[in-house]
Amino acid sequence: MTLTRFSVKPLSTMTRTLADVASARRDPDLVIQSARVLSTYSERILADKEIWISGGRIAAVKPAGSYRGGSAKFYDARGGIIAPGLVDPHIHIESSMVTACAYAEAALLNGTTTIFCDSHEIGNVMDVAGVEAMLEDARQAPLSIFLTVPSTVPATSPELETAGGDLTPGKIANLFDKWPEAVALGEKMDFVPVAMGDERSHAILAAALERGRPVSGHVYGREFVAAYAASGVTDTHEAIDREIADDLLEAGIWLFLRGGPPTTAWHSLPHAIKTITELGASHKRIAVCTDDRDADDLLFFGLDWVTRQAVVAGMTPEQAWAMGSLHGATRFGMENEIGGLGGGRRADLVLLTDDLKPVSTWYGGELVVENSKITPVLDAALSSPYRYPEAAYHTVKLPKNLKLTPELPTGPVIAHTIKTELPGIMLGHVTVELEPANDWQAHFDRHGLCFVTVVERHGKSSGNVAHGLLNNFGLKKGAVASSVGHDSHNIIVAGTNQADMQVALDAIEAKQGGACVVMDGKVTAMVPLPIAGLLSDKRVHAVAEEVKALKVEWEKAGCTIPYMGFNLIPLSVIPEIRITDKGLVLVPEMMIAPLFEPA
């Protein structure tokens, strides 16, 4: 069989069959016996139940022993907990460095059966063609994947950054009209222009609102919440503490609590959840999400892990699982299809241990993971992935003979430096007085600096190169580089010398994308990303091993923020200072600043 979301027939064509099965006039296809059922509707665990499944949908949840025998297959849950598959309401597939087909393997191993993805990364590189390629990939993937249409491509004006894509209000409207999977507008990252009434930003909002599509958000700063909500935004995943989380809830905005590896910038859940545990808010309009994961972290810090973190933070297991399944489904109006174990719902199920760890997963009634290993039916589906268009493999277009380091100042100057610190989202603007020196190393040793350079890679300029200085990044020698530079994905290189930085740039160009570490003229680790400079064409475990090796060399190089935080250094919508291919960008002033000024 073809293992996709479309394998399960629409409910409208199955109501008579399901009614017959539920009434015991017809045998189910599958009966899962000896189960405890986690009800996300009543937030209880119900003992001694069995689940009748027909045509990939749930016909009924019955008392144990109700099915007396017949043609149905049986699965013995051995007293384990059966829960609805997890629903991730906000992710970026591209951050995992794998295609949608490959992403499905990790998701299903973690008990996630539905995701809502914002493909603005590939949209920034390839415009509509990239978004539609990912939609085709998603259609072939053995996972329910819906699109929140990229809303902020490019993230800033052409005067501040060069992007490969330009998703205008008209293009966004066409995506909604053409693709049924396009169910919402993706995170509106330009929250300052939205609050200030920018014409283009509000035209994009209108393209979604006129079609009855909900709008997802991305906002920092309590002062922006009121205007943001008034502009039609009704969810966000960026709450970083209990106060802004409380403001967002009271403004009518759904809250997606983002959990991630604690050493990264993606673990705000413990702080934001305090709107419930300390301020007394209800959890009824709160879900959990993963947002960004690399391939390695995707396997170990999936949505199941985030759900368990909600338990650690004070929620009951039943509440936490509802936040991981039913609530995300409800936000997008799909609670009658996914997120619970009611009759007629998709048979997307997970067998759990008592501490909410997935053991087995059913996708549309098909057992795709058993005892934490994928089954042959899933392996077959993953072995025939979607092939991206040829143009996706040729997106890194670099001029030759680039100067990757700034000129050494001959007199005293004030340098505008970018200070990095954990967790890596916010960057500090620190001015440093540089006295004349014989070489850059003297400045590096004295002030803890290194070079950072962004190179335009879309072939849209005559070779834009911007130079900057990182402060506190920790790199003592060599270079690190990535073609994943949110959100326009020009190439970002940090280093201590032109030669190693050039080796890193050449390695990325040769593979048409990737991330690497260079020491003494040699590439010590690399993750090739040949699809749009963002994605690997390998299975998720293979990419995870490459990422793991990259992290080891990254730490050896002394980098003080992780790779995914490094990728955010060009993200010119988050304070205080960023660097794009056009130069240093001051945020929120949204203006270019020089690297040096006279002392």
Side-chain angles (χ1 to χ4, degrees):
M1 64 172 292
T2 302
L3 191 64
T4 70
R5 176 166 53 91
F6 306 103
S7 304
V8 176
K9 295 178 182 178
L11 178 61
S12 60
T13 68
M14 293 189 61
T15 53
R16 293 181 64 191
T17 297
L18 292 171
D20 285 345
V21 172
S23 302
R25 294 189 298 270
R26 181 171 178 169
D27 283 335
D29 300 330
L30 172 67
V31 176
I32 300 177
Q33 299 177 308
S34 303
R36 288 174 289 158
V37 165
L38 194 159
S39 170
T40 54
Y41 305 128
S42 61
E43 294 182 352
R44 298 179 294 176
I45 293 179
L46 310 174
D48 300 323
K49 297 293 182 180
E50 63 186 35
I51 302 164
W52 295 5
I53 296 169
S54 183
R57 291 186 178 274
I58 297 170
V61 176
K62 298 276 190 175
S66 294
Y67 185 66
R68 302 295 183 179
S71 62
K73 296 179 180 179
F74 293 94
Y75 187 94
D76 189 352
R78 300 180 182 274
I81 299 170
I82 295 290
L86 292 169
V87 176
D88 199 330
H90 179 76
I91 71 113
H92 303 283
I93 290 175
E94 300 97 316
S95 294
S96 68
M97 307 178 185
V98 297
T99 64
C101 285
Y103 186 98
E105 181 173 3
L108 293 167
L109 283 166
N110 292 331
T112 300
T113 51
T114 300
I115 62 174
F116 293 84
C117 74
D118 183 342
S119 57
H120 73 229
E121 313 300 355
I122 200 166
N124 268 286
V125 176
M126 296 180 62
D127 204 84
V128 170
V131 177
E132 294 193 325
M134 181 158 283
L135 280 163
E136 293 287 2
D137 184 8
R139 281 188 170 182
Q140 192 166 322
L143 192 71
S144 292
I145 302 177
F146 297 93
L147 176 72
T148 60
V149 177
S151 66
T152 318
V153 176
T156 57
S157 69
E159 289 75 26
L160 298 179
E161 189 171 19
T162 305
D166 180 17
L167 294 183
T168 63
K171 291 177 182 178
I172 289 169
N174 288 338
L175 284 166
F176 278 129
D177 295 340
K178 180 178 178 181
W179 293 87
E181 295 91 337
V183 297
L185 189 67
E187 59 177 306
K188 203 76 188 78
M189 297 183 63
D190 55 340
F191 59 90
V192 175
V194 168
M196 298 300 292
D198 176 74
E199 183 176 354
R200 171 175 164 134
S201 298
H202 283 264
I204 288 171
L205 292 169
L209 296 172
E210 288 169 355
R211 290 164 172 78
R213 305 296 203 283
V215 176
S216 298
H218 166 121
V219 60
Y220 288 94
R222 299 174 72 184
E223 67 272 25
F224 298 105
V225 170
Y228 210 45
S231 300
V233 178
T234 44
D235 76 48
T236 185
H237 57 285
E238 297 288 354
I240 59 173
D241 56 40
R242 68 174 195 172
E243 283 73 26
I244 193 170
D246 215 52
D247 291 349
L248 291 162
L249 285 177
E250 294 301 338
I253 295 176
W254 275 84
L255 204 59
F256 300 159
L257 300 181
R258 179 173 60 187
T263 57
T264 71
W266 283 266
H267 198 48
S268 54
L269 180 150
H271 310 289
I273 204 170
K274 291 177 182 178
T275 183
I276 303 172
T277 59
E278 294 183 2
L279 300 182
S282 168
H283 70 294
K284 68 182 180 181
R285 286 175 62 86
I286 299 177
V288 292
C289 75
T290 59
D291 194 7
D292 297 295
R293 290 289 189 277
D294 64 38
D296 179 34
D297 288 339
L298 182 62
L299 292 165
F300 299 101
F301 299 97
L303 190 59
D304 61 315
W305 181 85
V306 182
T307 302
R308 293 192 295 274
Q309 287 295 299
V311 177
V312 172
M315 309 305 294
T316 68
E318 297 85 354
Q319 290 172 330
W321 202 267
M323 291 163 64
S325 55
L326 180 64
H327 292 199
T330 302
R331 188 278 177 271
F332 291 107
M334 296 186 188
E335 67 273 23
N336 293 331
E337 180 77 358
I338 53 177
L341 301 183
R345 275 64 169 184
R346 281 182 58 97
D348 294 346
L349 313 173
V350 187
L351 174 63
L352 302 171
T353 63
D354 284 358
D355 55 359
L356 302 187
K357 291 184 178 178
V359 176
S360 300
T361 305
W362 288 263
Y363 177 65
E366 288 286 335
L367 186 62
V368 292
V369 174
E370 186 172 21
N371 296 324
S372 301
K373 295 182 180 180
I374 66 172
T375 62
V377 68
L378 179 56
D379 188 55
L382 296 169
S383 298
S384 301
Y386 170 75
R387 168 75 183 184
Y388 276 72
E390 191 61 29
Y393 292 85
H394 304 282
T395 63
V396 176
K397 305 165 186 175
L398 301 180
K400 302 300 180 184
N401 302 317
L402 295 173
K403 183 169 176 52
L404 299 178
T405 61
E407 294 288 348
L408 183 69
T410 57
V413 296
I414 295 175
H416 294 272
T417 72
I418 302 170
K419 185 176 182 181
T420 64
E421 54 188 315
L422 290 172
I425 289 183
M426 307 290 279
L427 297 176
H429 179 192
V430 177
T431 56
V432 175
E433 293 187 15
L434 301 181
E435 296 295 329
N438 293 326
D439 55 34
W440 273 108
Q441 193 61 48
H443 294 311
F444 294 169
D445 293 340
R446 181 176 180 184
H447 299 289
L449 305 176
C450 72
F451 298 123
V452 61
T453 300
V454 173
V455 180
E456 193 272 311
R457 62 102 157 182
H458 304 291
K460 289 195 168 186
S461 73
S462 57
N464 287 349
V465 179
H467 302 127
L469 295 170
L470 290 182
N471 190 322
N472 196 45
F473 185 56
L475 187 67
K476 301 299 183 185
K477 61 181 294 190
V480 296
S482 174
S483 58
V484 181
H486 297 283
D487 275 319
S488 291
H489 302 293
N490 293 305
I491 296 177
I492 178 170
V493 188
T496 59
N497 63 87
Q498 165 86 23
D500 282 338
M501 293 170 74
Q502 186 66 56
V503 170
L505 191 66
D506 291 344
I508 288 176
E509 184 178 24
K511 297 293 185 182
Q512 281 297 293
C516 65
V517 178
V518 173
M519 284 291 159
D520 299 319
K522 296 180 180 180
V523 176
T524 60
M526 182 164 192
V527 183
L529 301 173
I531 302 173
L534 301 171
L535 306 173
S536 172
D537 49 11
K538 301 175 184 176
R539 291 270 288 263
V540 66
H541 285 86
V543 181
E545 288 302 313
E546 293 174 344
V547 173
K548 196 178 300 182
L550 179 78
K551 290 178 179 177
V552 169
E553 294 301 320
W554 195 269
E555 291 185 8
K556 284 183 182 178
C559 304
T560 54
I561 60 172
Y563 159 74
M564 290 184 74
F566 176 75
N567 291 342
L568 299 178
I569 290 174
L571 185 54
S572 56
V573 294
I574 300 179
E576 296 174 339
I577 186 171
R578 303 280 155 166
I579 181 170
T580 72
D581 67 302
K582 298 292 184 73
L584 297 176
V585 179
L586 301 183
V587 184
E589 298 92 334
M590 303 308 285
M591 60 179 287
I592 298 288
L595 176 56
F596 304 122
E597 290 183 354

PDB file of all heavy atoms in Angstrom, residues 90-119:
ATOM      1  N   HIS A  90       3.943  23.743  15.212  1.00  0.00           N
ATOM      2  CA  HIS A  90       4.882  24.697  14.591  1.00  0.00           C
ATOM      3  C   HIS A  90       6.268  24.090  14.490  1.00  0.00           C
ATOM      4  O   HIS A  90       6.956  23.893  15.503  1.00  0.00           O
ATOM      5  CB  HIS A  90       4.964  26.002  15.383  1.00  0.00           C
ATOM      6  CG  HIS A  90       5.945  26.971  14.779  1.00  0.00           C
ATOM      7  ND1 HIS A  90       5.663  27.705  13.649  1.00  0.00           N
ATOM      8  CD2 HIS A  90       7.218  27.281  15.112  1.00  0.00           C
ATOM      9  CE1 HIS A  90       6.718  28.437  13.327  1.00  0.00           C
ATOM     10  NE2 HIS A  90       7.676  28.195  14.190  1.00  0.00           N
ATOM     11  N   ILE A  91       6.691  23.813  13.249  1.00  0.00           N
ATOM     12  CA  ILE A  91       8.047  23.326  13.015  1.00  0.00           C
ATOM     13  C   ILE A  91       8.555  23.866  11.681  1.00  0.00           C
ATOM     14  O   ILE A  91       7.783  24.338  10.844  1.00  0.00           O
ATOM     15  CB  ILE A  91       8.136  21.774  13.017  1.00  0.00           C
ATOM     16  CG1 ILE A  91       7.458  21.198  11.760  1.00  0.00           C
ATOM     17  CG2 ILE A  91       7.530  21.172  14.242  1.00  0.00           C
ATOM     18  CD1 ILE A  91       8.423  20.551  10.833  1.00  0.00           C
ATOM     19  N   HIS A  92       9.862  23.783  11.502  1.00  0.00           N
ATOM     20  CA  HIS A  92      10.513  24.057  10.221  1.00  0.00           C
ATOM     21  C   HIS A  92      11.266  22.793   9.823  1.00  0.00           C
ATOM     22  O   HIS A  92      12.271  22.442  10.446  1.00  0.00           O
ATOM     23  CB  HIS A  92      11.471  25.237  10.326  1.00  0.00           C
ATOM     24  CG  HIS A  92      10.832  26.501  10.797  1.00  0.00           C
ATOM     25  ND1 HIS A  92      10.062  27.295   9.978  1.00  0.00           N
ATOM     26  CD2 HIS A  92      10.821  27.095  12.010  1.00  0.00           C
ATOM     27  CE1 HIS A  92       9.613  28.335  10.667  1.00  0.00           C
ATOM     28  NE2 HIS A  92      10.062  28.233  11.901  1.00  0.00           N
ATOM     29  N   ILE A  93      10.785  22.115   8.810  1.00  0.00           N
ATOM     30  CA  ILE A  93      11.438  20.887   8.367  1.00  0.00           C
ATOM     31  C   ILE A  93      12.896  21.160   8.005  1.00  0.00           C
ATOM     32  O   ILE A  93      13.796  20.368   8.303  1.00  0.00           O
ATOM     33  CB  ILE A  93      10.685  20.268   7.180  1.00  0.00           C
ATOM     34  CG1 ILE A  93       9.336  19.696   7.651  1.00  0.00           C
ATOM     35  CG2 ILE A  93      11.511  19.171   6.510  1.00  0.00           C
ATOM     36  CD1 ILE A  93       8.460  19.157   6.526  1.00  0.00           C
ATOM     37  N   GLU A  94      13.145  22.308   7.371  1.00  0.00           N
ATOM     38  CA  GLU A  94      14.495  22.593   6.898  1.00  0.00           C
ATOM     39  C   GLU A  94      15.521  22.611   8.032  1.00  0.00           C
ATOM     40  O   GLU A  94      16.689  22.292   7.826  1.00  0.00           O
ATOM     41  CB  GLU A  94      14.537  23.937   6.160  1.00  0.00           C
ATOM     42  CG  GLU A  94      13.639  24.021   4.954  1.00  0.00           C
ATOM     43  CD  GLU A  94      12.316  24.699   5.274  1.00  0.00           C
ATOM     44  OE1 GLU A  94      11.737  24.377   6.335  1.00  0.00           O
ATOM     45  OE2 GLU A  94      11.859  25.538   4.494  1.00  0.00           O
ATOM     46  N   SER A  95      15.102  22.998   9.233  1.00  0.00           N
ATOM     47  CA  SER A  95      16.046  23.038  10.349  1.00  0.00           C
ATOM     48  C   SER A  95      16.594  21.661  10.688  1.00  0.00           C
ATOM     49  O   SER A  95      17.685  21.540  11.241  1.00  0.00           O
ATOM     50  CB  SER A  95      15.373  23.642  11.583  1.00  0.00           C
ATOM     51  OG  SER A  95      15.063  24.999  11.355  1.00  0.00           O
ATOM     52  N   SER A  96      15.831  20.611  10.350  1.00  0.00           N
ATOM     53  CA  SER A  96      16.285  19.249  10.615  1.00  0.00           C
ATOM     54  C   SER A  96      17.330  18.797   9.604  1.00  0.00           C
ATOM     55  O   SER A  96      17.933  17.744   9.765  1.00  0.00           O
ATOM     56  CB  SER A  96      15.098  18.287  10.587  1.00  0.00           C
ATOM     57  OG  SER A  96      14.588  18.175   9.276  1.00  0.00           O
ATOM     58  N   MET A  97      17.522  19.572   8.544  1.00  0.00           N
ATOM     59  CA  MET A  97      18.498  19.291   7.488  1.00  0.00           C
ATOM     60  C   MET A  97      18.112  18.081   6.648  1.00  0.00           C
ATOM     61  O   MET A  97      18.937  17.576   5.879  1.00  0.00           O
ATOM     62  CB  MET A  97      19.905  19.081   8.059  1.00  0.00           C
ATOM     63  CG  MET A  97      20.388  20.186   8.961  1.00  0.00           C
ATOM     64  SD  MET A  97      22.037  19.754   9.586  1.00  0.00           S
ATOM     65  CE  MET A  97      22.336  21.087  10.706  1.00  0.00           C
ATOM     66  N   VAL A  98      16.899  17.591   6.785  1.00  0.00           N
ATOM     67  CA  VAL A  98      16.449  16.448   5.995  1.00  0.00           C
ATOM     68  C   VAL A  98      15.145  16.810   5.293  1.00  0.00           C
ATOM     69  O   VAL A  98      14.476  17.778   5.634  1.00  0.00           O
ATOM     70  CB  VAL A  98      16.244  15.188   6.862  1.00  0.00           C
ATOM     71  CG1 VAL A  98      17.555  14.739   7.475  1.00  0.00           C
ATOM     72  CG2 VAL A  98      15.195  15.402   7.947  1.00  0.00           C
ATOM     73  N   THR A  99      14.795  16.000   4.288  1.00  0.00           N
ATOM     74  CA  THR A  99      13.556  16.223   3.548  1.00  0.00           C
ATOM     75  C   THR A  99      12.360  15.802   4.397  1.00  0.00           C
ATOM     76  O   THR A  99      12.496  15.177   5.452  1.00  0.00           O
ATOM     77  CB  THR A  99      13.562  15.409   2.250  1.00  0.00           C
ATOM     78  OG1 THR A  99      13.590  14.012   2.596  1.00  0.00           O
ATOM     79  CG2 THR A  99      14.770  15.754   1.387  1.00  0.00           C
ATOM     80  N   ALA A 100      11.171  16.125   3.899  1.00  0.00           N
ATOM     81  CA  ALA A 100       9.951  15.744   4.611  1.00  0.00           C
ATOM     82  C   ALA A 100       9.843  14.232   4.749  1.00  0.00           C
ATOM     83  O   ALA A 100       9.421  13.709   5.790  1.00  0.00           O
ATOM     84  CB  ALA A 100       8.731  16.310   3.893  1.00  0.00           C
ATOM     85  N   CYS A 101      10.202  13.510   3.691  1.00  0.00           N
ATOM     86  CA  CYS A 101      10.154  12.040   3.757  1.00  0.00           C
ATOM     87  C   CYS A 101      11.076  11.519   4.851  1.00  0.00           C
ATOM     88  O   CYS A 101      10.709  10.624   5.619  1.00  0.00           O
ATOM     89  CB  CYS A 101      10.547  11.444   2.407  1.00  0.00           C
ATOM     90  SG  CYS A 101       9.267  11.580   1.129  1.00  0.00           S
ATOM     91  N   ALA A 102      12.285  12.063   4.936  1.00  0.00           N
ATOM     92  CA  ALA A 102      13.223  11.613   5.960  1.00  0.00           C
ATOM     93  C   ALA A 102      12.787  12.056   7.351  1.00  0.00           C
ATOM     94  O   ALA A 102      12.969  11.323   8.335  1.00  0.00           O
ATOM     95  CB  ALA A 102      14.621  12.146   5.647  1.00  0.00           C
ATOM     96  N   TYR A 103      12.200  13.235   7.443  1.00  0.00           N
ATOM     97  CA  TYR A 103      11.716  13.758   8.730  1.00  0.00           C
ATOM     98  C   TYR A 103      10.684  12.815   9.345  1.00  0.00           C
ATOM     99  O   TYR A 103      10.624  12.630  10.559  1.00  0.00           O
ATOM    100  CB  TYR A 103      11.105  15.141   8.518  1.00  0.00           C
ATOM    101  CG  TYR A 103      10.702  15.860   9.781  1.00  0.00           C
ATOM    102  CD1 TYR A 103      11.542  16.802  10.352  1.00  0.00           C
ATOM    103  CD2 TYR A 103       9.483  15.604  10.406  1.00  0.00           C
ATOM    104  CE1 TYR A 103      11.177  17.472  11.513  1.00  0.00           C
ATOM    105  CE2 TYR A 103       9.115  16.256  11.564  1.00  0.00           C
ATOM    106  CZ  TYR A 103       9.967  17.191  12.118  1.00  0.00           C
ATOM    107  OH  TYR A 103       9.602  17.849  13.279  1.00  0.00           O
ATOM    108  N   ALA A 104       9.870  12.188   8.476  1.00  0.00           N
ATOM    109  CA  ALA A 104       8.786  11.337   8.951  1.00  0.00           C
ATOM    110  C   ALA A 104       9.302  10.208   9.838  1.00  0.00           C
ATOM    111  O   ALA A 104       8.641   9.814  10.809  1.00  0.00           O
ATOM    112  CB  ALA A 104       8.020  10.765   7.760  1.00  0.00           C
ATOM    113  N   GLU A 105      10.468   9.672   9.522  1.00  0.00           N
ATOM    114  CA  GLU A 105      11.000   8.556  10.302  1.00  0.00           C
ATOM    115  C   GLU A 105      11.217   8.958  11.753  1.00  0.00           C
ATOM    116  O   GLU A 105      10.781   8.261  12.683  1.00  0.00           O
ATOM    117  CB  GLU A 105      12.302   8.047   9.692  1.00  0.00           C
ATOM    118  CG  GLU A 105      12.903   6.873  10.442  1.00  0.00           C
ATOM    119  CD  GLU A 105      14.101   6.261   9.725  1.00  0.00           C
ATOM    120  OE1 GLU A 105      14.497   6.787   8.670  1.00  0.00           O
ATOM    121  OE2 GLU A 105      14.623   5.251  10.228  1.00  0.00           O
ATOM    122  N   ALA A 106      11.895  10.065  11.974  1.00  0.00           N
ATOM    123  CA  ALA A 106      12.146  10.521  13.338  1.00  0.00           C
ATOM    124  C   ALA A 106      10.848  10.887  14.039  1.00  0.00           C
ATOM    125  O   ALA A 106      10.662  10.576  15.223  1.00  0.00           O
ATOM    126  CB  ALA A 106      13.090  11.715  13.319  1.00  0.00           C
ATOM    127  N   ALA A 107       9.946  11.557  13.329  1.00  0.00           N
ATOM    128  CA  ALA A 107       8.681  11.961  13.940  1.00  0.00           C
ATOM    129  C   ALA A 107       7.894  10.754  14.431  1.00  0.00           C
ATOM    130  O   ALA A 107       7.410  10.726  15.571  1.00  0.00           O
ATOM    131  CB  ALA A 107       7.857  12.760  12.933  1.00  0.00           C
ATOM    132  N   LEU A 108       7.760   9.740  13.592  1.00  0.00           N
ATOM    133  CA  LEU A 108       6.972   8.564  13.967  1.00  0.00           C
ATOM    134  C   LEU A 108       7.639   7.780  15.094  1.00  0.00           C
ATOM    135  O   LEU A 108       6.952   7.221  15.958  1.00  0.00           O
ATOM    136  CB  LEU A 108       6.737   7.681  12.749  1.00  0.00           C
ATOM    137  CG  LEU A 108       5.833   8.309  11.672  1.00  0.00           C
ATOM    138  CD1 LEU A 108       5.907   7.512  10.373  1.00  0.00           C
ATOM    139  CD2 LEU A 108       4.393   8.419  12.163  1.00  0.00           C
ATOM    140  N   LEU A 109       8.955   7.724  15.107  1.00  0.00           N
ATOM    141  CA  LEU A 109       9.649   7.093  16.232  1.00  0.00           C
ATOM    142  C   LEU A 109       9.342   7.806  17.540  1.00  0.00           C
ATOM    143  O   LEU A 109       9.302   7.180  18.607  1.00  0.00           O
ATOM    144  CB  LEU A 109      11.159   7.089  15.984  1.00  0.00           C
ATOM    145  CG  LEU A 109      11.688   6.046  15.003  1.00  0.00           C
ATOM    146  CD1 LEU A 109      13.113   6.367  14.595  1.00  0.00           C
ATOM    147  CD2 LEU A 109      11.620   4.639  15.614  1.00  0.00           C
ATOM    148  N   ASN A 110       9.095   9.106  17.463  1.00  0.00           N
ATOM    149  CA  ASN A 110       8.802   9.902  18.650  1.00  0.00           C
ATOM    150  C   ASN A 110       7.305  10.025  18.925  1.00  0.00           C
ATOM    151  O   ASN A 110       6.907  10.802  19.794  1.00  0.00           O
ATOM    152  CB  ASN A 110       9.408  11.301  18.505  1.00  0.00           C
ATOM    153  CG  ASN A 110      10.919  11.280  18.518  1.00  0.00           C
ATOM    154  OD1 ASN A 110      11.518  10.408  19.130  1.00  0.00           O
ATOM    155  ND2 ASN A 110      11.547  12.231  17.842  1.00  0.00           N
ATOM    156  N   GLY A 111       6.480   9.305  18.160  1.00  0.00           N
ATOM    157  CA  GLY A 111       5.044   9.337  18.413  1.00  0.00           C
ATOM    158  C   GLY A 111       4.316  10.515  17.806  1.00  0.00           C
ATOM    159  O   GLY A 111       3.142  10.756  18.114  1.00  0.00           O
ATOM    160  N   THR A 112       4.976  11.256  16.924  1.00  0.00           N
ATOM    161  CA  THR A 112       4.342  12.401  16.257  1.00  0.00           C
ATOM    162  C   THR A 112       3.798  11.941  14.908  1.00  0.00           C
ATOM    163  O   THR A 112       4.540  11.389  14.094  1.00  0.00           O
ATOM    164  CB  THR A 112       5.353  13.537  16.054  1.00  0.00           C
ATOM    165  OG1 THR A 112       5.848  13.956  17.325  1.00  0.00           O
ATOM    166  CG2 THR A 112       4.705  14.724  15.355  1.00  0.00           C
ATOM    167  N   THR A 113       2.526  12.195  14.667  1.00  0.00           N
ATOM    168  CA  THR A 113       1.883  11.735  13.438  1.00  0.00           C
ATOM    169  C   THR A 113       1.388  12.872  12.548  1.00  0.00           C
ATOM    170  O   THR A 113       1.049  12.644  11.390  1.00  0.00           O
ATOM    171  CB  THR A 113       0.702  10.807  13.772  1.00  0.00           C
ATOM    172  OG1 THR A 113      -0.155  11.444  14.722  1.00  0.00           O
ATOM    173  CG2 THR A 113       1.192   9.486  14.362  1.00  0.00           C
ATOM    174  N   THR A 114       1.369  14.095  13.075  1.00  0.00           N
ATOM    175  CA  THR A 114       0.943  15.258  12.296  1.00  0.00           C
ATOM    176  C   THR A 114       1.838  16.439  12.626  1.00  0.00           C
ATOM    177  O   THR A 114       2.154  16.671  13.799  1.00  0.00           O
ATOM    178  CB  THR A 114      -0.519  15.639  12.602  1.00  0.00           C
ATOM    179  OG1 THR A 114      -1.376  14.542  12.289  1.00  0.00           O
ATOM    180  CG2 THR A 114      -0.954  16.846  11.781  1.00  0.00           C
ATOM    181  N   ILE A 115       2.237  17.190  11.593  1.00  0.00           N
ATOM    182  CA  ILE A 115       3.006  18.407  11.826  1.00  0.00           C
ATOM    183  C   ILE A 115       2.443  19.537  10.970  1.00  0.00           C
ATOM    184  O   ILE A 115       1.868  19.311   9.907  1.00  0.00           O
ATOM    185  CB  ILE A 115       4.507  18.223  11.518  1.00  0.00           C
ATOM    186  CG1 ILE A 115       4.735  17.872  10.047  1.00  0.00           C
ATOM    187  CG2 ILE A 115       5.118  17.181  12.435  1.00  0.00           C
ATOM    188  CD1 ILE A 115       6.204  17.830   9.644  1.00  0.00           C
ATOM    189  N   PHE A 116       2.626  20.738  11.458  1.00  0.00           N
ATOM    190  CA  PHE A 116       2.302  21.955  10.710  1.00  0.00           C
ATOM    191  C   PHE A 116       3.628  22.678  10.499  1.00  0.00           C
ATOM    192  O   PHE A 116       4.241  23.165  11.458  1.00  0.00           O
ATOM    193  CB  PHE A 116       1.310  22.822  11.482  1.00  0.00           C
ATOM    194  CG  PHE A 116      -0.044  22.194  11.614  1.00  0.00           C
ATOM    195  CD1 PHE A 116      -0.300  21.275  12.628  1.00  0.00           C
ATOM    196  CD2 PHE A 116      -1.054  22.495  10.721  1.00  0.00           C
ATOM    197  CE1 PHE A 116      -1.543  20.675  12.746  1.00  0.00           C
ATOM    198  CE2 PHE A 116      -2.299  21.897  10.828  1.00  0.00           C
ATOM    199  CZ  PHE A 116      -2.552  20.980  11.842  1.00  0.00           C
ATOM    200  N   CYS A 117       4.081  22.713   9.252  1.00  0.00           N
ATOM    201  CA  CYS A 117       5.416  23.245   8.977  1.00  0.00           C
ATOM    202  C   CYS A 117       5.338  24.574   8.238  1.00  0.00           C
ATOM    203  O   CYS A 117       4.442  24.804   7.431  1.00  0.00           O
ATOM    204  CB  CYS A 117       6.246  22.241   8.180  1.00  0.00           C
ATOM    205  SG  CYS A 117       5.793  22.070   6.453  1.00  0.00           S
ATOM    206  N   ASP A 118       6.275  25.416   8.552  1.00  0.00           N
ATOM    207  CA  ASP A 118       6.446  26.699   7.869  1.00  0.00           C
ATOM    208  C   ASP A 118       7.728  26.577   7.047  1.00  0.00           C
ATOM    209  O   ASP A 118       8.824  26.491   7.598  1.00  0.00           O
ATOM    210  CB  ASP A 118       6.569  27.822   8.899  1.00  0.00           C
ATOM    211  CG  ASP A 118       6.685  29.202   8.271  1.00  0.00           C
ATOM    212  OD1 ASP A 118       7.013  29.282   7.075  1.00  0.00           O
ATOM    213  OD2 ASP A 118       6.475  30.197   8.987  1.00  0.00           O
ATOM    214  N   SER A 119       7.572  26.537   5.721  1.00  0.00           N
ATOM    215  CA  SER A 119       8.725  26.291   4.847  1.00  0.00           C
ATOM    216  C   SER A 119       9.342  27.597   4.353  1.00  0.00           C
ATOM    217  O   SER A 119       9.740  27.709   3.194  1.00  0.00           O
ATOM    218  CB  SER A 119       8.308  25.415   3.664  1.00  0.00           C
ATOM    219  OG  SER A 119       7.263  26.011   2.942  1.00  0.00           O
TER     220      SER A 119
END
